[in-house]
Amino acid sequence: MSFIPHTDIEVKQMLKTIGVSSIDDLFVDIKEDLKPKSFNLPEGKSEFEVIENLKKLSSKNATHLINFLGAGFYDHYIPAAVDALSSRSEFYTAYTPYQPECSQGWLQAIYEYQTAISELTGLDVSNASLYDGGTALYEACMMAIRITGRNKIVMDSGVNMTYRTILYTYTSNLNIEFVETSVVHGQSSREEIYKYLDDKTAAVILQNPNFFGAVDDHSDVVKKAHSFGALVIESVYPIALGILKTPGEIGCDIATGEGQSLGLPLSFGGPYLGFMATKKEYVRKMPGRIVGQTQDKDGRIGYVLTLQAREQHIRREKATSNICSNEALCALRAVIYLSLLGKDGLRDVAQLNYQKAEFTKNVFDDIPGVEVKRSSPTFNEFTVLLPRNADQVVSKMAAKGYALGFPLGRFYPGMDNYILVAVTEKRTKEEIVKFKESLEAVLCD
Amino acid sequence: MRLIFEKGAFGRRGFKIPKKDVPIDAKFPQKYKRVKEPDLPQVSELDVVRHYTNLSRMNFSVDTNFYPLGSCTMKYNPKFTEKIAALPGFTDVHPLLPQLGGGGILTQGSLEVIYKTEEFLSEITGMSGFTMQPLAGAHGELTGAMIIASFHKFNGNRRKYIIVPDSSHGTNPASAAIAGYEVIVIPTDENGCMDIDKFKEKLTQDVAGVMLTCPNTLGLFNSSIKEIADLAHSVGALMYYDGANLNAIIGKSRPGDIGFDIVHLNLHKTFSTPHGGGGPGSGPVGVNEELLKFLPIPRIAKRVDGTFALDYSYKDSIGYIAPFYGNFSVILKAYAYMVYLGKSGLIDVAEKAVLNANYCRVLLKKYFEVPYGRICMHEFVLSASKQKENGVSALDIAKYLIDNGVHPPTIYFPLSVVEAMMIEPTETESKKTLDNFVELMIEAAKLAQDSPSTLHDAPKNMPVGRLDETKAARDLNLRWHSKKE
């Protein structure tokens, strides 16, 4: 049984209708020399057995750790209604809404998602979502190159290293010049960005808060970049946008980011949600699906996929992107999450993240030999200098039941003793205090 | 229906957040604060639940409707895989854990799932190894095209062209172009397959790769596939298999055995993970022995002691193509599906998928033009060219099906067939469902003859009639604005 409903009698009837005598007759085009040389798979198992087997495997993951690890991917609380609604199979067993009349539910939900992302980022329009924050940043980079007709990118090294690496992989076969600029006192080095900005620059790529957790106001960078005709792309953390100055407010041209924190589980890296918003004038250069509102002939409001002439199924090799899907179900979770939290809730969650991180900084000040870096304000994540190699401290803390944070030496040479610590609204005062005591004990060892 | 943004009331909340339990009153610095608050909904939990529950009911889905959307393999998605994917032992794992010092040991369960999925897929396709990183089919294609580029660069010359047939999915040429290649398109011959003479004409030392779907988008298995592969290999080009249609041939043929060097699969098609309204998908890529070293990093390795680890030691790798290890929960569902079905179950999938398609094809061929009338694989293409003479298009027929509770086939694709309707019933549909569908299609054909205007007016039973797409693209309205703005 493979979810196949056919009875033997039905199979016989169907073969007779087709006019063949056996199933094998349907595979005549697969000649002898095209048949498998091997197909050595185990026989099937019952539902019960498969579930038990995978429960056992899941228990080999250390999910008991109290999480202070972030680095772009955060342990936020997910309201139960997010799971309940996104589990409606009328949503999750549908496909891309090519046929609008029987997909109005999906199309309206995406239109609402686009509205929420536009509001969050302070920009005019959003697409229907992309794979993840990293590929969204790459798509934004290509979009800026298309808009400006230039091919130089100035990128802040405060942008998540994983994202920078993805950008380099994707553009390795294209003629694009990248320059990376430093982070000074926690923030983007204006001096270096301005040094490299010129009339060949397509875009400056920034992140806010940056990888070290520091917040910034990039308005000055935007002004300078625009004076050279370059665009500015900011990769942002959506929960922070509950209180943080938006890409729109500082004049950014494109905002992207990872939407995982908007109601998606960490789930070992995916599925996640790439979001992208931009100014009105660039919408026709934006990749990905876009939903628009329109009317039927009786004047009833409805929603359709629009601006499809940019896309691969029409434009093929001349398309704005090869992307043929969005992360619709993840986008649905995000808009449900944002609706539940609402205007006030999102701000309050952001405030709570900020307060708890600030509290944790103060608590850490009491640990001898530990120095919290305070050269610039942060949101819910900050950098700490430990008296010894951070990677070793991380593994000792894991044994005590904590995911301490991200050892910065992994990405930044010379930062072997630095750790990046994230504190979300889920961490209680008690957890934070015990966490500090455990760290103290580990460092005394 | 009104938007969620229009349903609230000032100050209403849908979610209680924890009280601040830390004794601190830090002020987020004014300089970095947003000035305008986001205009998000102000609604109760019930407002949200009722709104999205009602929206969900305004969709056709596999769980509610027959959905024979060609090339998308809209088969039934079993429920037990959802249950597995929701286990906290899988959902609550931070992806950076295995990258920390000694952290691999903290995620052995997830690493094992990925490793074993790779093993399954390698055996199913006859490839030497897989990466599970690509996040969708088109992402897999791009990964494959980049591997093609790396392979040729490694051998000294990147080459210039990638060949695709005119029946290919639009993503194939788009992915090749993004990897930096120029695209050569080969027409389809009278048997519905890539014209081999035209192919030979274009095949030179400058061709880096040939991207094919097999069976192709007309639902036909190309018996000359080996000859094509040999020709491609004779000029040093690589053969790329677009796995969109693997459902037809699981256990019947393996891309690796018939000359393909690289394959991508769509777990959301063949391996029954839900399509999610357009994503998330998963597009793993498999390669032959020679190309293993180019796969994205990190790869998942099994150590001699039986534990699993991330392996970054491939210096010729194309690099990172995704932030982590792929769409993990999608991979997990596909793995559970394969373990459940096992060898015989998977072969049964291909057999019944092909049986269902041929059954519908034979019953419909009297009523519609069938451009390539031989035995098909898991899907077939009809043309509404006869109906078009009466002013009825494939679109009209599609809208008529919607009115009668059936999701339409893929229409106007492949581009090489006029008024195309591409039908893929999948193996999970019963004879009874197929009979009803056939009856409905015959009814449409009759109406096209007797009463074309009935079809032009469809759909009538939906929340909206046919929508003005020109207006949508001209007077762009891509978001809601509050009245006060």
Side-chain angles (χ1 to χ4, degrees):
Chain A
M1 215 276 293
S2 315
F3 309 103
I4 289 172
H6 303 64
T7 66
D8 290 346
I9 295 171
E10 285 173 329
V11 171
K12 283 202 187 96
Q13 287 169 339
M14 292 167 82
L15 288 170
K16 198 174 158 212
T17 304
I18 297 168
V20 294
S21 52
S22 72
I23 294 269
D24 285 346
D25 291 347
L26 299 174
F27 289 89
V28 283
D29 284 336
I30 302 181
K31 305 266 178 326
E32 206 48 47
D33 64 331
L34 301 174
K35 289 190 173 153
K37 289 185 183 147
S38 148
F39 197 66
N40 187 19
L41 297 174
E43 281 305 338
K45 290 190 165 54
S46 70
E47 180 173 321
F48 169 72
E49 289 168 308
V50 181
I51 290 180
E52 286 308 301
N53 165 342
L54 280 156
K55 266 189 195 159
K56 253 182 230 154
L57 268 187
S58 78
S59 71
K60 292 190 190 171
N61 288 330
T63 45
H64 66 283
L65 298 180
I66 295 173
N67 211 342
F68 290 87
L69 174 61
F73 311 92
Y74 300 93
D75 181 21
H76 291 289
Y77 182 74
I78 301 172
V82 174
D83 286 321
L85 291 168
S86 65
S87 301
R88 298 251 344 163
S89 63
E90 300 94 324
F91 277 127
Y92 79 71
T93 72
Y95 197 29
T96 306
Y98 294 116
Q99 297 286 345
E101 302 87 356
C102 60
S103 315
Q104 282 302 299
W106 255 122
L107 288 159
Q108 182 173 331
I110 293 171
Y111 180 86
E112 292 171 346
Y113 162 84
Q114 290 173 183
T115 304
I117 294 298
S118 307
E119 283 296 327
L120 211 53
T121 55
L123 282 159
D124 300 326
V125 287
S126 151
N127 68 10
S129 78
L130 297 160
Y131 302 137
D132 81 290
T135 49
L137 191 60
Y138 152 74
E139 292 286 353
C141 168
M142 297 310 291
M143 180 176 156
I145 287 169
R146 279 195 301 276
I147 291 169
T148 57
R150 302 173 179 181
N151 68 345
K152 179 178 163 188
I153 300 287
V154 177
M155 183 153 62
D156 186 346
S157 58
V159 172
N160 191 324
M161 173 73 155
T162 311
Y163 292 0
R164 282 184 278 147
T165 319
I166 289 175
L167 249 72
Y168 293 137
T169 303
Y170 282 141
T171 53
S172 62
N173 295 307
L174 310 173
N175 177 30
I176 299 173
E177 183 196 347
F178 278 94
V179 188
E180 280 201 16
T181 57
S182 313
V183 170
V184 176
H185 303 304
Q187 295 183 325
S188 314
S189 163
R190 270 61 174 176
E191 194 187 332
E192 285 185 37
I193 294 175
Y194 298 167
K195 189 171 86 193
Y196 292 117
L197 256 176
D198 56 21
D199 55 13
K200 291 188 195 71
T201 309
V204 179
I205 300 183
L206 306 163
Q207 182 175 317
N208 194 22
N210 69 13
F211 191 71
F212 305 97
V215 295
D216 203 337
D217 175 355
H218 290 124
S219 324
D220 51 344
V221 180
V222 172
K223 272 198 200 93
K224 191 70 148 191
H226 285 173
S227 76
F228 284 98
L231 305 188
V232 176
I233 302 165
E234 203 178 45
S235 177
V236 285
Y237 174 14
I239 297 289
L241 291 178
I243 50 175
L244 182 62
K245 208 167 252 190
T246 64
E249 285 173 335
I250 63 162
C252 259
D253 302 282
I254 310 170
T256 62
E258 174 50 64
Q260 173 270 326
S261 51
L262 303 173
L264 274 70
L266 284 161
S267 196
F268 205 50
Y272 285 171
L273 169 70
F275 62 84
M276 176 185 279
T278 189
K279 292 175 174 169
K280 232 183 265 166
E281 59 257 46
Y282 301 133
V283 63
R284 281 165 206 275
K285 302 280 184 190
M286 181 159 60
R289 302 237 187 265
I290 302 175
V291 170
Q293 193 187 75
T294 185
Q295 289 177 351
D296 69 6
K297 67 177 176 1
D298 299 323
R300 283 179 294 189
I301 285 177
Y303 303 88
V304 293
L305 291 174
T306 192
L307 298 181
Q308 296 196 64
R310 302 162 299 124
E311 292 188 59
Q312 47 74 31
H313 60 282
I314 312 262
R315 293 273 283 167
R316 296 175 76 87
E317 65 269 25
K318 295 190 177 63
T320 50
S321 162
N322 71 327
I323 289 182
C324 148
S325 57
N326 63 342
E327 300 286 280
L329 198 64
C330 306
L332 178 72
R333 291 181 72 98
V335 70
I336 293 170
Y337 178 87
L338 288 169
S339 299
L340 285 165
L341 265 73
K343 187 180 188 149
D344 299 320
L346 184 71
R347 181 199 54 229
D348 292 352
V349 164
Q351 286 284 6
L352 200 52
N353 274 261
Y354 174 68
Q355 301 276 7
K356 294 211 173 192
E358 292 300 305
F359 173 73
T360 311
K361 282 182 187 173
N362 292 350
V363 169
F364 271 30
D365 284 338
D366 298 339
I367 312 176
V370 166
E371 186 193 342
V372 174
K373 297 314 240 183
R374 283 195 170 83
S375 52
S376 59
T378 58
F379 171 58
N380 72 348
E381 195 164 23
F382 55 90
T383 307
V384 179
L385 176 60
L386 299 175
R388 58 172 120 133
N389 186 293
D391 225 19
Q392 290 161 14
V393 182
V394 164
S395 67
K396 286 191 173 157
M397 284 296 280
K400 288 187 173 285
Y402 295 95
L404 166 64
F406 186 78
L408 286 164
R410 232 189 99 67
F411 287 166
Y412 296 90
M415 294 191 80
D416 289 344
N417 288 10
Y418 286 84
I419 186 100
L420 187 64
V421 175
V423 190
T424 69
E425 77 282 359
K426 278 175 77 175
R427 299 287 73 85
T428 62
K429 180 186 168 205
E430 193 189 345
E431 284 173 346
I432 294 167
V433 170
K434 285 200 174 143
F435 173 55
K436 174 242 170 185
E437 287 164 7
S438 296
L439 180 59
E440 209 165 5
V442 162
L443 292 175
C444 283
D445 260 358
Chain B
M1 203 160 97
R2 279 190 301 150
L3 298 164
I4 188 75
F5 297 88
E6 300 169 312
K7 290 187 171 173
F10 183 77
R12 188 182 290 163
R13 282 173 178 250
F15 184 67
K16 187 153 96 179
I17 64 164
K19 284 224 163 60
K20 187 180 74 155
D21 62 349
V22 289
I24 188 171
D25 192 23
K27 295 265 181 291
F28 190 70
Q30 199 60 38
K31 178 171 183 227
Y32 301 108
K33 252 191 180 167
R34 73 182 289 161
V35 179
K36 186 188 170 297
E37 291 210 309
D39 229 330
L40 292 172
Q42 300 190 78
V43 287
S44 70
E45 180 168 325
L46 175 59
D47 290 334
V48 175
V49 169
R50 197 168 280 160
H51 179 77
Y52 287 102
T53 302
N54 284 326
L55 280 187
S56 79
R57 294 165 66 186
M58 293 164 71
N59 296 315
F60 281 10
S61 67
V62 174
D63 279 7
T64 52
N65 303 78
F66 179 42
Y67 213 120
L69 188 65
S71 237
C72 298
T73 315
M74 301 300 290
K75 61 169 82 177
Y76 172 67
N77 310 131
K79 299 302 167 196
F80 78 98
T81 60
E82 297 298 313
K83 186 170 172 175
I84 289 166
L87 290 170
F90 288 125
T91 57
D92 296 354
V93 186
H94 197 293
L96 283 167
L97 275 183
Q99 298 186 20
L100 307 181
I105 209 68
L106 302 171
T107 60
Q108 285 299 299
S110 294
L111 291 173
E112 185 169 340
V113 166
I114 299 176
Y115 185 86
K116 287 192 162 158
T117 310
E118 290 179 5
E119 277 187 334
F120 256 97
L121 297 181
S122 297
E123 182 63 16
I124 287 170
T125 55
M127 306 311 290
S128 302
F130 261 83
T131 172
M132 301 307 297
Q133 284 192 34
L135 305 171
H139 201 208
E141 290 174 22
L142 180 55
T143 306
M146 289 195 296
I147 291 172
I148 291 174
S150 288
F151 168 80
H152 289 299
K153 252 198 247 174
F154 187 83
N155 293 321
N157 177 1
R158 223 188 134 255
R159 300 190 175 203
K160 207 170 162 191
Y161 302 106
I162 282 191
I163 288 183
V164 301
D166 63 358
S167 63
S168 78
H169 298 111
T171 47
N172 290 176
S175 300
I178 282 166
Y181 284 108
E182 286 177 42
V183 176
I184 297 175
V185 180
I186 308 290
T188 300
D189 69 12
E190 67 280 3
N191 296 316
C193 293
M194 183 169 78
D195 187 319
I196 204 158
D197 292 325
K198 297 269 165 41
F199 172 65
K200 282 181 193 161
E201 275 170 32
K202 298 288 182 185
L203 192 62
T204 64
Q205 298 281 346
D206 266 340
V207 173
V210 181
M211 292 178 96
L212 290 178
T213 312
C214 183
N216 67 16
T217 57
L218 293 156
L220 303 172
F221 192 93
N222 189 340
S223 307
S224 314
I225 193 70
K226 256 198 168 150
E227 192 191 342
I228 292 171
D230 289 344
L231 284 167
H233 290 152
S234 73
V235 298
L238 294 176
M239 286 289 287
Y240 181 94
Y241 181 86
D242 176 330
N245 296 341
L246 186 80
N247 212 47
I249 60 161
I250 321 173
K252 297 292 177 184
S253 186
R254 303 194 308 169
D257 295 339
I258 60 179
F260 285 97
D261 304 296
I262 307 176
V263 311
H264 93 258
L265 305 179
N266 298 280
L267 299 187
H268 47 286
K269 297 182 181 176
T270 319
F271 299 99
S272 202
T273 68
H275 282 68
S282 172
V285 168
V287 295
N288 67 23
E289 186 79 38
E290 199 184 356
L291 299 175
L292 281 175
K293 60 182 176 185
F294 300 113
L295 284 176
I297 46 172
R299 299 202 56 213
I300 315 290
K302 190 172 181 177
R303 297 201 191 93
V304 279
D305 65 358
T307 60
F308 300 89
L310 298 178
D311 186 352
Y312 292 87
S313 68
Y314 293 81
K315 67 175 173 36
D316 298 316
S317 162
I318 60 167
Y320 294 76
I321 58 122
F324 298 107
Y325 328 107
N327 275 341
F328 178 77
S329 84
V330 179
I331 296 165
L332 176 61
K333 289 176 203 179
Y335 173 67
Y337 175 79
M338 289 188 279
V339 174
Y340 176 92
L341 260 60
K343 181 179 180 169
S344 318
L346 286 166
I347 294 173
D348 208 17
V349 162
E351 293 186 346
K352 298 306 185 314
V354 171
L355 176 70
N356 277 0
N358 278 288
Y359 180 70
C360 294
R361 178 184 60 82
V362 165
L363 290 174
L364 288 171
K365 69 180 177 191
K366 270 192 285 185
Y367 304 89
F368 295 90
E369 179 74 24
V370 184
Y372 305 97
R374 57 192 176 99
I375 284 182
C376 66
M377 300 303 283
H378 66 304
E379 70 188 0
F380 61 102
V381 177
L382 297 179
S383 164
S385 56
K386 271 196 254 177
Q387 288 71 25
K388 189 74 188 175
E389 288 165 17
N390 245 5
V392 170
S393 64
L395 186 74
D396 296 326
I397 295 168
K399 302 306 181 193
Y400 175 77
L401 292 174
I402 290 176
D403 251 348
N404 289 280
V406 168
H407 192 285
T410 298
I411 52 174
Y412 302 107
F413 185 82
L415 307 172
S416 49
V417 174
V418 293
E419 296 296 326
M421 294 182 287
M422 186 196 225
I423 299 167
E424 181 182 12
T426 84
E427 74 281 5
T428 56
E429 299 296 339
S430 68
K431 177 172 176 294
K432 180 79 190 151
T433 303
L434 304 182
D435 287 339
N436 290 342
F437 168 68
V438 166
E439 218 171 279
L440 201 55
M441 287 292 284
I442 293 172
E443 193 61 40
K446 283 184 183 151
L447 283 170
Q449 196 117 56
D450 306 337
S451 169
S453 64
T454 320
L455 296 172
H456 296 149
D457 293 341
K460 286 186 149 164
N461 306 335
M462 291 286 117
V464 290
R466 282 190 214 188
L467 291 159
D468 187 345
E469 302 201 7
T470 314
K471 176 182 161 55
R474 193 189 49 219
D475 311 330
L476 284 180
N477 174 347
L478 310 179
R479 54 166 295 189
W480 168 87
H481 284 282
S482 78
K483 292 247 159 57
K484 58 182 186 283
E485 276 172 39

